Amino acid sequence: MPLPDLDSSVGHSFGLEFDSVVIKQITEVSGLKMEQDVIELKQNTADGRYAIKKLPGRPKAGEVTVTRGLTEDNSFERWIKDSRFGRMTAARRNGSVIVYDYEGIAIKRYKLINAWPKSLEIGTLKAGDTSVLTEKLSITYESMELD
């Protein structure tokens, strides 16, 4: 039986959606992962041999970094102010990292649960440089789901 012919996905652009607001100018996403602890169960088998069995444990929280060109939009700054001043009920949000194809159609969504901004880093400011200024937002989340 032949394998199905599947297209590999190429991320032509990325977006970040929180509170029904989509920021489509994301140029880079790094650190997206789902991870859980591993529990080692050590036991003796019926014939007396020592055996180690690995079992899934608790899921781990994660952290993702998104990068975009510096613009007048200050949504990243407003969001990080909430967490810096302890307003965590306003800072914790559910949202998604979205991968778009070449036609701008969303092909994959990574839903972040109880996410809040950990840090905001502005790219190097250098006089006379012709590179684009960027801002990197590190977002901590409690869990991730695939849509």
Side-chain angles (χ1 to χ4, degrees):
M1 178 168 81
L3 294 173
D5 187 24
L6 300 175
D7 289 336
S8 293
S9 297
V10 175
H12 286 272
S13 63
F14 310 99
L16 186 65
E17 179 182 24
F18 280 93
D19 297 334
S20 300
V21 175
V22 179
I23 299 171
K24 287 191 173 185
Q25 299 82 14
I26 303 298
T27 58
E28 183 180 343
V29 177
S30 63
L32 264 179
K33 71 177 182 178
M34 295 173 71
E35 189 177 7
Q36 63 189 40
D37 288 330
V38 176
I39 299 170
E40 287 189 358
L41 176 63
K42 299 173 184 174
Q43 61 186 8
N44 290 327
T45 61
D47 61 355
R49 293 181 27 187
Y50 180 73
I52 298 175
K53 186 175 185 178
K54 294 195 178 208
L55 303 169
R58 286 187 231 157
K60 291 183 179 182
E63 185 175 304
V64 63
T65 302
V66 296
T67 304
R68 72 172 179 174
L70 191 65
T71 65
E72 292 179 7
D73 178 21
N74 62 354
S75 56
F76 284 1
E77 291 91 350
R78 285 194 317 263
W79 191 19
I80 203 162
K81 278 183 185 178
D82 286 338
S83 66
R84 286 181 55 99
F85 294 114
R87 296 187 294 261
M88 293 309 290
T89 53
R92 287 185 193 272
R93 301 178 184 172
N94 295 334
S96 299
V97 173
I98 309 164
V99 180
Y100 296 101
D101 67 4
Y102 66 95
E103 293 178 330
I105 299 169
I107 57 174
K108 197 76 160 178
R109 285 180 172 268
Y110 300 95
K111 188 174 179 186
L112 308 178
I113 310 298
N114 283 333
W116 54 274
K118 175 185 157 189
S119 67
L120 178 64
E121 177 185 341
I122 308 304
T124 303
L125 303 172
K126 185 175 177 183
D129 193 10
T130 58
S131 61
V132 175
L133 289 175
T134 60
E135 55 185 355
K136 288 184 179 184
L137 182 68
S138 293
I139 302 169
T140 300
Y141 55 91
E142 291 178 6
S143 66
M144 183 173 74
E145 297 174 1
L146 302 173
D147 279 350

